[in-house]
Amino acid sequence: MRQGFHEEIDNLALQVEVMSLLVRDSLGGAVEVAVSGDGALAGRMISADDEIDAMHTSLTEKCIELLVREQPVARDLRTVLAVMRVIDSLERIGDLTLRVANQAHDVDLINRHPAVAAVLRELEANVIHRFDSVAAAWSSRNLDELADLADTEPLDRFGPPLLRHITELDSADAARVAVAAFVVGRSFDRIGDHSMVVANRLRFMLTGDISFLAAEVG
Amino acid sequence: MTQPTEHRREFHRQMDELKSDILRLGGMVIETIPRGTEVLLSGDLKVAKDLIAYDDQIDKLSIDIEDRVYTIMARQAPAAGDLRHLVTISKLVAELERSADLMVNVSKASRRMYGSAMSPRIRGVASSMANEAQKLMQFSLDAYADADESLAAALDDIDDALDELNVDMVEAVFAAHTDGSIDLQAAVQLALVARYYERIGDHAVNIGHRVIYMVTGWMPEGASRLVAGDSADSAAVAEIPDQ
């Protein structure tokens, strides 16, 4: 029976990988929408998000079932607790990609302002790199995959130039452009934050060091 | 024979302490709403500074509660009902901690637009949003404290008023920018502020969903609202719903 339980734990972690692939597709879609304003793609992203939400619900229920039935301890317990938090972040990353998709109709307006668009492109690349590193670390259970994140530009580096360029806008629709650009920027910023929550939960899961939980509160 | 009984008593004492602390955390978070709003409406930068320091205390208590939840799970092997309560507490911590962060965001946004005059309409809507957010958060904590499934389920509908105020606020802000009474920086910050209040309402609704789970063992459909980010979109420019 315990053998079956360990298989269930392994399967749970594998399901998180599958969920992260779905979220990665949606993240790629968000970047594409932010560049192209493709409304059809934005629409497809909504359907895909239903699948992410369904996985979130079923995995949450599975975690609780395992906690109740198996009373796991030590690393098994940490794995179940980490999965519960990681799937919350993945689900919310999925939601945040929809928030970017919501702006499809204003993307052309944003991209008419090259300085604003340039900051957003840099931020998007930074966030994709974070997400991919964290997903690779989760799949391989290898914290070395997270090593170069220490040298990655911090997310709060992008806020000030974005705000500066936005407040320099002087077109008639400046307020609309400003809010839309902020939505896109802050959504990617939060996606980056959630990627780091996943990283810290993985660190906690693998090492048992509870200080990694504090790293995500701020 | 006495050892298991004492063990059980100790377990219940720890659970009672956790419940008491989560309500204390909730009280601290609720307190940030009028304080952050005071920064917005009065421009009192001292209050802003105090609020940011207060958020550190909230963070500290949040981490402490989450640590204790994990310790109890690991050491006490709680039964199903208690386990649901512990899972609920761990989720509530995240919702509450994030809500306090949003009020810090309100304070920081207020600092960025320091000196900008707000029209009576904008001040009125902002004040109403703060009241609604505070009311929702209080109801959500009452629902948790009393394990009141009916009140928890009603939060979704109560939150509609806050969603409508968010639309009013964005319209008022765009109008004020168009007629030149506020600059672009202030317009952006005010649109963000409206979103932060609306998000606090979403966190309260999420707390309600967690309470329903705690009481019934079932998670309501579409339980998690988009509450992760402090991004700034507005209902006025959104076409695709969050959920």
Side-chain angles (χ1 to χ4, degrees), chain A residues 93-205:
Chain A
I93 290 174
D95 287 340
L96 287 160
T97 64
L98 288 196
R99 199 170 281 287
V100 176
N102 278 341
Q103 307 308 313
H105 46 84
D106 281 339
V107 159
D108 277 348
L109 291 178
I110 297 172
N111 290 341
R112 278 178 210 161
H113 303 278
V116 174
V119 177
L120 291 176
R121 297 297 88 81
E122 253 192 281
L123 172 60
E124 289 154 14
N126 181 295
V127 168
I128 291 277
H129 173 63
R130 284 172 192 272
F131 185 94
D132 287 347
S133 300
V134 173
W138 181 275
S139 303
S140 63
R141 308 286 183 278
N142 182 358
L143 295 179
D144 290 346
E145 298 280 359
L146 303 176
D148 79 326
L149 289 182
D151 302 325
T152 306
E153 289 258 41
L155 288 165
D156 56 16
R157 210 273 289 157
F158 299 94
L162 185 60
L163 185 61
R164 192 174 64 248
H165 294 314
I166 281 173
T167 50
E168 285 166 3
L169 298 172
D170 62 358
S171 53
D173 54 5
R176 185 182 175 108
V177 175
V179 172
F182 243 98
V183 172
V184 173
R186 294 307 292 253
S187 299
F188 279 110
D189 179 79
R190 290 297 300 155
I191 291 169
D193 280 346
H194 276 290
S195 301
M196 300 323 293
V197 168
V198 176
N200 284 322
R201 292 288 160 156
L202 178 64
R203 288 173 172 133
F204 164 65
M205 182 176 105

Side-chain angles (χ1 to χ4, degrees), chain B residues 98-107 196 199-200 203 229-230:
Chain B
R98 192 74 205 127
S99 298
D101 286 347
L102 289 166
M103 285 316 297
V104 169
N105 288 354
V106 169
S107 297
Y196 297 146
R199 283 291 162 74
I200 292 173
H203 282 292
D230 49 357

Side-chain angles (χ1 to χ4, degrees), chain B residues 42-116:
Chain B
S42 72
D44 188 335
L45 299 182
K46 168 79 169 53
V47 178
K49 188 166 173 282
D50 291 347
L51 192 62
I52 291 164
Y54 193 57
D55 188 57
D56 290 341
Q57 293 178 44
I58 289 173
D59 289 347
K60 197 161 171 273
L61 181 57
S62 302
I63 294 163
D64 177 56
I65 291 172
E66 193 171 8
D67 281 357
R68 281 188 282 146
V69 165
Y70 288 175
T71 304
I72 293 177
M73 276 185 179
R75 292 188 185 157
Q76 308 277 13
D82 291 323
L83 192 59
R84 281 211 305 270
H85 191 175
L86 286 165
V87 169
T88 301
I89 288 173
S90 74
K91 301 285 187 184
L92 258 56
V93 168
E95 305 285 356
L96 291 169
E97 191 268 328
R98 192 74 205 127
S99 298
D101 286 347
L102 289 166
M103 285 316 297
V104 169
N105 288 354
V106 169
S107 297
K108 289 181 175 173
S110 308
R111 291 205 297 206
R112 286 188 197 105
M113 49 179 281
Y114 184 71
S116 298

